[in-house]
Amino acid sequence: MTTAATSRQRPAALLLTPAAEARIAALMAKAPDGTVGVKLSTPRKGCSGLAYSVDYVSEAKPFDEKIETAGGTLFVDGGSVLYLIGSTMDWVEDDFTAGFVFTNPNAKGTCGCGESFMV
């Protein structure tokens, strides 16, 4: 007896709120020529060890996670995916600040200023 393998689409590494998707669309609307998307990574930085970084990218790397949104593509750095699984990415604006905000269930702590996190 043989069994056929079935495949299913795997869930995205993180969820994006409608506000985050709209911000990606706005960024892509004014992106430099040759930009293929926006990339989220977690470089080593700050007091706690890791920080969130969002930048334009001109090419996808082989191990990047690719998340298609209505306004453009979000790439998640392949080396950062394990730190971000289950996270939510939001865009928040108030009277004094604007930026991406992350709810990350993997973060075990953050620094006092909120710039970096540890897993």
Side-chain angles (χ1 to χ4, degrees):
M1 169 160 69
T2 60
T3 58
T6 59
S7 64
R8 62 182 171 88
Q9 185 172 350
R10 91 182 151 167
L14 73 155
L15 300 174
L16 281 79
T17 65
E21 288 188 7
R23 182 60 183 166
I24 290 170
L27 289 169
M28 290 305 295
K30 63 180 183 178
D33 288 340
T35 300
V36 297
V38 176
K39 185 173 185 175
L40 170 62
S41 60
T42 56
R44 299 209 178 278
K45 182 178 172 186
C47 319
S48 294
L50 299 170
Y52 301 104
S53 179
V54 181
D55 302 289
Y56 290 118
V57 290
S58 57
E59 67 177 324
K61 303 290 183 193
F63 294 105
D64 286 350
E65 180 85 14
K66 184 177 180 181
I67 301 172
E68 295 292 345
T69 74
T73 304
L74 173 70
F75 295 96
V76 180
D77 175 66
S80 300
V81 170
L82 289 176
Y83 305 131
L84 298 169
I85 291 175
S87 296
T88 300
M89 180 177 179
D90 194 8
W91 176 260
V92 177
E93 293 183 41
D94 64 25
D95 290 340
F96 302 103
T97 61
F100 287 109
V101 175
F102 299 88
T103 304
N104 187 342
N106 306 301
K108 302 300 181 211
T110 60
C111 67
C113 66
E115 180 180 314
S116 61
F117 69 99
M118 68 182 93
V119 290

